[in-house]
Amino acid sequence: LKSAKSATQPDGPERAIGALGLWSLAAMPDGALGGYQMGYQLHPLTAEGGLDNSLDFKGGMHPVDRDPLYKMACENRETGNGAVKDGKYEYAISQYSELIVKTRTLEGEQDVIWDDSGKDKVRQLRATAYLNLSLCFLKLEQWTHASNTATRALQGDKDPPDPKENVLPADKKAKALFRRAQAQTEGFGNFDKALEDLRKAHEYAPDDKAIEQMLAKVAIAVKKTVKAADKKMA
């Protein structure tokens, strides 16, 4: 994982052959993480130097959850979740980011049975990855990334947003809104935007105490800001 400050994002996949195999660099979806790009993935080589595809899926038309790309994306999710538990947030970011790239590639596969259930599984997997990314960026105090990934968890990463990407259940939407509000308050002091998000989050999760407490605090902060502005006008 490299910051955009130290490297520009490549136009397409970069490849280099080493002693162990072929490494490929997969670029993120357009602006997916606003400055983060993917790490490398190893592909085995045959004795003759070509790509070894002996383990490739050869089952013909199949449901999405039997596809190797989907399974690898799920492995990224589990590895990322483990990294979060261990406090290894940058490594978790690389795992969730790879997951997102793999789901985009997966959606172009022609041998997958793309029924509504399959499409929803992939969208849910990607949206949850963005939700987890927002947590990682909050922990690293990267407020812009935290806010952006929370937004993508809610609406996807397409521009303009695709309503079909709005797949998170109510409790996870509340988490995304709560995390975006955290980024807005702690990173930018934008209490008005945070208040709007927290009110929506409270609608999705009315019994969530953390949301309720932060909503009360931000409402007070907004009132103080308004009073201060009124004094200046006077």
Side-chain angles (χ1 to χ4, degrees):
L1 186 68
K2 298 185 288 184
S3 169
K5 294 180 181 178
S6 62
T8 57
Q9 190 168 353
D11 293 330
E14 294 179 356
R15 295 188 172 184
I17 295 179
L20 296 178
L22 180 71
W23 293 85
S24 63
L25 178 62
M28 289 295 295
D30 292 343
L33 290 181
Y36 280 81
Q37 61 188 51
M38 295 304 304
Y40 292 89
Q41 182 179 3
L42 183 66
H43 301 277
L45 296 179
T46 64
E48 292 76 23
L51 280 178
D52 182 0
N53 60 2
S54 61
L55 297 179
D56 286 359
F57 184 78
K58 299 182 176 68
M61 298 299 294
H62 55 278
V64 70
D65 54 8
R66 287 188 58 204
D67 192 273
L69 272 174
Y70 182 82
K71 291 179 179 180
M72 287 190 289
C74 290
E75 289 174 4
N76 287 132
R77 177 191 60 195
E78 298 307 315
T79 304
N81 291 349
V84 169
K85 290 178 181 179
D86 293 337
K88 299 177 180 178
Y89 300 114
E90 291 188 351
Y91 183 60
I93 287 169
S94 72
Q95 291 299 305
Y96 295 134
S97 300
E98 282 199 32
L99 183 162
I100 291 166
V101 169
K102 284 171 183 171
T103 60
R104 285 298 180 204
T105 303
L106 175 59
E107 287 175 324
E109 295 293 301
Q110 300 298 314
D111 56 355
V112 173
I113 301 170
W114 286 114
D115 54 16
D116 290 341
S117 175
K119 292 176 182 178
D120 187 67
K121 282 181 180 179
V122 174
R123 289 168 180 154
Q124 289 273 359
L125 188 60
R126 183 167 52 240
T128 302
Y130 275 123
L131 181 61
N132 293 342
L133 280 169
S134 69
L135 173 62
C136 294
F137 286 125
L138 282 174
K139 294 292 187 180
L140 296 173
E141 298 186 358
Q142 297 187 23
W143 310 117
T144 299
H145 289 318
S147 180
N148 288 345
T149 49
T151 299
R152 291 179 176 123
L154 292 164
Q155 66 182 39
D157 52 23
K158 294 182 179 180
D159 186 20
D162 183 351
K164 293 178 181 178
E165 299 286 329
N166 180 3
V167 294
L168 288 179
D171 61 327
K172 290 187 177 181
K173 285 181 180 178
K175 282 185 180 181
L177 290 163
F178 180 73
R179 290 172 186 172
R180 191 167 68 180
Q182 284 181 292
Q184 290 298 323
T185 55
E186 296 177 35
F188 311 112
N190 195 331
F191 298 107
D192 289 321
K193 283 188 177 180
L195 184 60
E196 182 180 346
D197 279 347
L198 289 167
R199 284 172 174 165
K200 289 180 182 177
H202 186 59
E203 290 177 7
Y204 285 125
D207 297 326
D208 190 303
K209 297 300 180 183
I211 292 174
E212 188 175 342
Q213 291 171 5
M214 189 176 177
L215 177 59
K217 290 179 181 179
V218 171
I220 292 171
V222 169
K223 287 181 181 179
K224 288 182 178 179
T225 303
V226 171
K227 285 183 179 179
D230 288 344
K231 285 183 179 180
K232 286 184 179 181
M233 291 295 290

